[in-house]
Amino acid sequence: MRALYIGRFQPYHLGHHAVIAQIASEVDEVIICIGSAQRSHELENPFTAGERYLMISKSLRDDDIFNFYIVPVLDVNRNAIWVSHVESLIPPVDVVYTNNSLIERLFEERGYKVHVPLLFNRKEYSGSEIRKRMLNQENWKVLVPEAVTEVIEEIDGLSRMLDLRRCDT
Ligand code: ATP
Ligand code: MG
């Protein structure tokens, strides 16, 4: 059995990680799509697809999870063809996991079984909250796996974000 999980992962955090670890323990393989793959260097989308790829793969490997396959997916800006677009990039899947109601609808309309996983500590484990804390130079590291902190430090992600805000104002 193969499952699909989709997110933007700006950045990958402990909420995503808990859900993917759970799914990976239940199925043979998890396909993880990195959505809006073309976006980076924006306050809402600071990290490239490659950087997000590293965050996810290192975090999962650190926890001895290896049954995953990561696929970056560019936006097509046409909801009616988005599922076909994703299908053209991934191996066939039996089930889709998402908390996003539009993604749920689009896949259900195409006949997929969709599961809605529980949210973990959503107030803090949220991409928006982490980006806000980074900009305010508050403690964001407690909300992400250690490997994500390492990737962000390696690419100097915090100063990228502070620069992006300077450019924005
Ligand atoms: P943003 O605030 O930037 O939208 P996000 O935390 O919602 O970030 P996404 O990449 O947009 O993260 O979400 C990908 C998927 O992860 C969605 O289905 C989302 O509901 C799920 N998700 C987000 N936060 C959690 C959490 N705390 N626990 C479990 N799943 C989560
Ligand atoms: Mg979101």
Side-chain angles (χ1 to χ4, degrees), residues 91-142:
V93 294
D94 308 288
V95 58
V96 179
Y97 288 80
T98 184
N99 301 93
N100 178 307
S101 48
L102 176 61
I103 293 180
E104 183 180 353
R105 163 159 285 279
L106 293 175
F107 275 95
E108 273 177 355
E109 284 186 8
R110 297 294 297 260
Y112 282 88
K113 190 159 71 176
V114 178
H115 290 329
V116 179
L118 288 179
L119 292 168
F120 291 86
N121 184 13
R122 177 62 172 157
K123 256 178 85 180
E124 294 192 301
Y125 294 165
S126 127
S128 313
E129 172 67 20
I130 294 161
R131 295 193 300 275
K132 191 183 87 192
R133 287 194 191 188
M134 290 179 79
L135 289 174
N136 293 337
Q137 306 202 51
E138 291 163 357
N139 189 0
W140 54 273
K141 296 181 185 175
V142 291

Side-chain angles (χ1 to χ4, degrees), residues 29-162:
E29 193 174 24
V30 194
I31 313 302
I32 302 166
C33 282
I34 301 179
S36 300
Q38 81 285 2
R39 302 197 91 114
S40 72
H41 297 80
E42 301 169 348
L43 280 172
E44 295 289 298
N45 298 282
F47 305 114
T48 67
E51 290 159 354
R52 288 176 272 162
Y53 189 108
L54 278 182
M55 293 174 193
I56 300 166
S57 58
K58 284 185 175 211
S59 302
L60 290 170
R61 287 199 194 110
D62 280 352
D63 280 356
D64 292 327
I65 298 167
F66 301 103
N67 57 334
F68 62 90
Y69 179 67
I70 302 175
V71 185
V73 175
L74 305 179
D75 287 335
V76 285
N77 297 317
R78 281 178 66 187
N79 290 335
I81 60 164
W82 185 72
V83 172
S84 316
H85 171 60
V86 173
E87 281 174 331
S88 75
L89 300 168
I90 62 169
V93 294
D94 308 288
V95 58
V96 179
Y97 288 80
T98 184
N99 301 93
N100 178 307
S101 48
L102 176 61
I103 293 180
E104 183 180 353
R105 163 159 285 279
L106 293 175
F107 275 95
E108 273 177 355
E109 284 186 8
R110 297 294 297 260
Y112 282 88
K113 190 159 71 176
V114 178
H115 290 329
V116 179
L118 288 179
L119 292 168
F120 291 86
N121 184 13
R122 177 62 172 157
K123 256 178 85 180
E124 294 192 301
Y125 294 165
S126 127
S128 313
E129 172 67 20
I130 294 161
R131 295 193 300 275
K132 191 183 87 192
R133 287 194 191 188
M134 290 179 79
L135 289 174
N136 293 337
Q137 306 202 51
E138 291 163 357
N139 189 0
W140 54 273
K141 296 181 185 175
V142 291
L143 307 181
V144 299
E146 248 173 67
V148 171
T149 302
E150 285 163 20
V151 172
I152 290 178
E153 284 177 349
E154 191 183 308
I155 62 172
D156 209 4
L158 185 57
S159 58
R160 178 190 297 173
M161 291 197 61
L162 297 173

